[in-house]
Amino acid sequence: MRSYNQYCSVAKALDVVGDRWTLLIVRELLARGPSRYTDLRSGLPGIATNLLADRLREMEAAGLVEREDAPPPVATALFRLTERGAGLGSVISELGRWGVPLMSDYRPQDAFRGQWLRLPVRMFLADHEPGQPPVSIEVRAEDQTAVIDVADGRVSLRLGAAPDADATITGPPPRILTLFSGNLPLAEAEDHGIRITGSREAVRRILPRDSGQAISKLP
Amino acid sequence: MRSYNQYCSVAKALDVVGDRWTLLIVRELLARGPSRYTDLRSGLPGIATNLLADRLREMEAAGLVEREDAPPPVATALFRLTERGAGLGSVISELGRWGVPLMSDYRPQDAFRGQWLRLPVRMFLADHEPGQPPVSIEVRAEDQTAVIDVADGRVSLRLGAAPDADATITGPPPRILTLFSGNLPLAEAEDHGIRITGSREAVRRILPRDSGQAISKLP
DNA sequence: CCGGATCCGGGTTGATACTG
DNA sequence: CAGTATCAACCCGGATCCGG
């Protein structure tokens, strides 16, 4: 990217991360952890393969990303954030928070990935009964499956299935987001395309208690 | 900007503010308040005039900016942030904080504007003696002049001169930044191109007490 | 299948000139 | 002062190809 040539820390930061796709690559590495090239590509639907390669090189040169050659047997490289790169987490968080109201428009061409739930989970959900034993909740949105683990008073999300989950939540991504943000009472969820099986108590345990104003009301 | 077409609030946010120059226009409106077109242009050195006009139109359409026609006497239009646009303040702050270490490279072609000190002032300076009477400190960096007002335990910056200031700080922008960030002890400042006149007590009152690790050490 | 490199068309940006 | 017009240069997106 061309430099803005301004002696201002915001401009200097944008000189480094202002290129198209750069911050989304950081988002992906934050959400997935160290990733292979191909996994990054699938987590960044729409990116041209040459652009991903270009950006990763630039980000490596800028000290945001490290390329780690895996040991001989696998022979596949991993990309991971450096500490400096991970320092962009707060920027991503604030951008994501600001963008929440925009989630009310879900267009057919919008892609969705399970790991993109990690930020909303951290932002909206909490364990309201930390004393209780751990539970796990499977989330199925579109064709993506992820698992919310609740333990030690903390809520976290991982990719993959959990056949023995205490509950499952199934529905289109925007409905699930609305549910998580506190704008869709659990009681009304089933009327809006959400299906819940198993322990509703487990779900109630982590949903926001007060309705957030985050996402616009349902139509 | 082309949409990323991803159902993720970070991607949606970047769909709106990810274009080149857009966040810097927000920075400028945050730092200066409602501004005329020409003032924006001078606060965004390097921007092409057609791009500024384009961006302002897009930002108006996106609800970030309002165009206010001033009352008859002046007959000049002002651009101001909407509440939604001002909500980007935390994004700008985090970007600016992340960019602080990059301020160690000051290149000859880097432009500088007095209002760009507003973020560093808010980030680094504080009134350590809130009980004392108000003071004002004039800052001269490059050809820019600004005034730091200290009153009611708060520190703020405004553009313009203060002939009756209690103290003045003069020096190149990077040295002043280093001083503000706590990485240049006041005692050594004069050896590094900083000139201070008037009450050093007034200056000491607002400088950080502990040396921050923000900006890299001096060469 | 993984991890890119190369090529090309089109859209965006940048610089400058010009205008009400 | 507040933009519009024009055009060249650059960047991005999409497709294709290539070596392990």
Side-chain angles (χ1 to χ4, degrees), chain B residues 74-138:
Chain B
V74 254
T76 182
L78 287 183
F79 296 92
R80 65 170 69 242
L81 287 174
T82 62
E83 195 169 336
R84 176 81 179 139
L88 286 164
S90 51
V91 175
I92 302 282
S93 287
E94 290 301 328
L95 262 179
R97 183 185 314 280
W98 187 85
V100 168
L102 304 172
M103 296 299 272
S104 59
D105 81 308
Y106 174 62
R107 291 164 303 162
Q109 67 268 36
D110 278 351
F112 178 75
R113 296 292 184 271
Q115 64 267 26
W116 300 348
L117 286 173
R118 193 157 287 160
L119 190 62
V121 162
R122 275 224 316 271
M123 196 169 350
F124 295 127
L125 305 187
D127 185 0
H128 295 108
E129 295 164 19
Q132 295 295 105
V135 296
S136 62
I137 303 170
E138 192 174 84

Side-chain angles (χ1 to χ4, degrees), chain A:
Chain A
M1 152 166 293
R2 263 180 79 95
S3 169
Y4 286 107
N5 293 324
Q6 298 184 359
Y7 192 68
C8 157
S9 65
V10 179
K12 294 273 185 192
L14 289 173
D15 281 348
V16 177
V17 301
D19 256 327
R20 193 161 161 78
W21 290 108
T22 302
L23 281 177
L24 288 186
I25 295 174
V26 175
R27 171 205 71 187
E28 205 57 22
L29 287 169
L30 281 170
R32 301 200 34 139
S35 309
R36 293 180 303 175
Y37 184 89
T38 307
D39 293 332
L40 279 178
R41 238 186 88 168
S42 94
L44 294 161
I47 196 172
T49 174
N50 59 339
L51 264 193
L52 178 54
D54 283 356
R55 289 292 178 274
L56 286 171
R57 255 191 303 274
E58 293 162 6
M59 293 168 75
E60 199 180 353
L64 307 186
V65 157
E66 282 170 353
R67 181 184 312 247
E68 171 196 341
D69 293 312
V74 255
T76 181
L78 287 184
F79 296 91
R80 67 169 68 241
L81 287 174
T82 61
E83 195 168 337
R84 176 81 180 140
L88 287 163
S90 52
V91 174
I92 302 282
S93 287
E94 290 301 328
L95 263 178
R97 182 185 316 279
W98 188 84
V100 167
L102 304 172
M103 296 300 273
S104 60
D105 81 309
Y106 175 61
R107 291 163 305 161
Q109 67 268 37
D110 279 351
F112 178 75
R113 296 292 184 270
Q115 65 267 24
W116 299 348
L117 287 172
R118 193 156 288 162
L119 190 61
V121 162
R122 276 224 317 269
M123 196 169 353
F124 295 127
L125 305 187
D127 184 0
H128 295 108
E129 296 165 17
Q132 295 296 106
V135 296
S136 63
I137 303 170
E138 193 174 83
V139 181
R140 297 162 176 273
E142 231 166 54
D143 58 336
Q144 306 281 305
T145 306
V147 182
I148 297 175
D149 291 302
V150 187
D152 303 325
R154 279 184 305 202
V155 183
S156 60
L157 182 128
R158 62 181 157 92
L159 296 183
D164 58 343
D166 301 278
T168 71
I169 307 176
T170 309
R175 295 312 188 203
I176 290 185
L177 249 293
T178 309
L179 179 71
F180 283 7
S181 70
N183 286 297
L184 175 58
L186 190 52
E188 306 173 17
E190 332 255 355
D191 301 335
H192 288 282
I194 299 264
R195 202 164 67 86
I196 296 181
T197 69
S199 160
R200 298 172 149 262
E201 272 317 303
V203 178
R204 220 182 305 273
R205 176 172 163 184
I206 58 172
L207 287 187
R209 300 305 210 207
D210 49 349
S211 77
Q213 4 270 76
I215 301 185
S216 71
K217 288 299 174 196
L218 294 173

Side-chain angles (χ1 to χ4, degrees), chain B residues 169-212:
Chain B
I169 308 176
T170 310
R175 296 312 189 202
I176 290 184
L177 248 294
T178 309
L179 179 71
F180 283 7
S181 70
N183 286 297
L184 175 57
L186 189 53
E188 305 172 18
E190 332 255 356
D191 302 335
H192 289 281
I194 300 264
R195 202 163 67 86
I196 296 182
T197 69
S199 160
R200 296 171 149 261
E201 270 318 302
V203 178
R204 219 183 306 274
R205 176 171 165 184
I206 57 172
L207 287 187
R209 301 304 211 208
D210 49 348
S211 77

